[in-house]
Amino acid sequence: MSTHLTFAVPSKGRLMEQTAEFLAASGVTLRKVGPERGYRGEIEGFGNIDVAFISASEIVGALNSGRAHIGVTGEDLVRENIVNVDERVELVKPLGFGHADVVVAVPACWIDVNEVADLEAAAAVFRREHGRPFRVATKYINITRRFLSGHGLADYRIVESLGATEGTPAAGTADLIVDITSTGATLVANGLRVLNDGVILKSEANLVLSKVADWSDTAKAAGNDLFTRLGLPNRV
């Protein structure tokens, strides 16, 4: 079994490019090894670090299980998929890219619903008129439940969204949504608006450390060397 540190980074797209740029700004060179479409890599000058190129959602799972020691992924994914976040991982540093907000958005025609507190009264009216609770479409089931329950809203039903969440109210499969947005333009195009206090989380890519990984002496030394190069205090 390897004692090396495993560093999980996004496998493709802009997040992979921005991660490489973030590291390069501190003189840390990230590169793939083997086939061009392979999923293994290395950091130049760090022989005890193995780089795993995997998806942002898989990175969360790897950190939560301890298969990866450090990773770069979105805070939204971390808080959605790890129940006891503070016990399992540490959000070491926000990286300044991958920005997106997790928001509550309602149909623009709901003129009397402007804040989250308005949803409780609206839910009562909705049930009287339709004989059922609100349907809330989202990919962020855990974040949504925590947020709405924390605001005292109980009369709703979550509809798990596997596609374009913003289109579900117009399609009649949901009444409001919790989704991620960068500019809000797609929400507006679908006849939705964010509640005045409906920003649940302002997310961005983070450098995340696993507290449950097997931190061998080799992995600790490699992690601290990497943090030093990135201008960060030692964490392990």
Side-chain angles (χ1 to χ4, degrees), residues 49-71:
I49 295 181
D50 297 327
V51 175
F53 288 96
I54 54 181
S55 71
S57 58
E58 289 176 310
I59 290 171
V60 176
L63 292 165
N64 190 33
S65 68
R67 290 182 289 111
H69 297 83
I70 302 170

Side-chain angles (χ1 to χ4, degrees), residues 51-235:
V51 175
F53 288 96
I54 54 181
S55 71
S57 58
E58 289 176 310
I59 290 171
V60 176
L63 292 165
N64 190 33
S65 68
R67 290 182 289 111
H69 297 83
I70 302 170
V72 173
T73 191
E75 183 179 355
D76 60 312
L77 296 176
V78 171
R79 298 200 179 278
E80 170 62 21
N81 294 293
I82 303 179
V83 176
N84 47 345
V85 172
D86 294 335
E87 295 177 17
R88 309 291 295 182
V89 300
E90 178 185 354
L91 296 167
V92 176
K93 178 180 174 61
L95 301 181
F97 57 84
H99 291 281
D101 298 341
V102 181
V103 302
V104 181
V106 301
C109 61
W110 288 17
I111 58 174
D112 294 326
V113 180
N114 296 298
E115 297 181 349
V116 177
D118 297 330
L119 287 174
E120 186 173 6
V125 173
F126 193 93
R127 179 172 281 281
R128 285 198 303 271
E129 293 182 353
H130 300 279
R132 62 172 176 82
F134 284 145
R135 296 166 301 177
V136 184
T138 187
K139 301 178 183 73
Y140 296 95
I141 295 172
N142 294 318
I143 288 176
T144 299
R145 283 177 176 153
R146 289 194 297 267
F147 182 78
L148 294 181
S149 297
H151 283 76
L153 185 66
D155 195 17
Y156 66 91
R157 180 169 66 88
I158 286 181
V159 177
E160 185 174 6
S161 173
L162 301 177
T165 305
E166 66 276 2
T168 56
T173 56
D175 306 298
L176 62 151
I177 71 169
V178 172
D179 201 13
I180 199 163
T181 182
S182 296
T183 66
T186 302
L187 296 178
V188 172
N190 282 274
L192 301 172
R193 59 181 171 82
V194 179
L195 295 179
N196 294 340
D197 56 349
V199 177
I200 300 175
L201 174 67
K202 298 186 76 65
S203 179
E204 64 183 283
N206 270 251
L207 186 66
V208 185
L209 178 146
S210 173
K211 294 182 178 181
V212 297
D214 181 10
W215 285 94
S216 66
D217 290 342
T218 300
K220 287 180 180 178
N224 286 330
D225 287 346
L226 178 60
F227 286 142
T228 296
R229 183 74 71 85
L230 296 176
L232 300 170
N234 291 350
R235 287 299 205 285

Side-chain angles (χ1 to χ4, degrees), residues 26-67:
S26 297
V28 177
T29 302
L30 177 69
R31 62 190 177 198
K32 287 189 174 182
V33 296
E36 177 63 27
R37 294 181 180 274
Y39 296 95
R40 307 304 298 179
E42 63 184 12
I43 295 178
E44 189 176 289
F46 289 83
N48 291 327
I49 295 181
D50 297 327
V51 175
F53 288 96
I54 54 181
S55 71
S57 58
E58 289 176 310
I59 290 171
V60 176
L63 292 165
N64 190 33
S65 68
R67 290 182 289 111

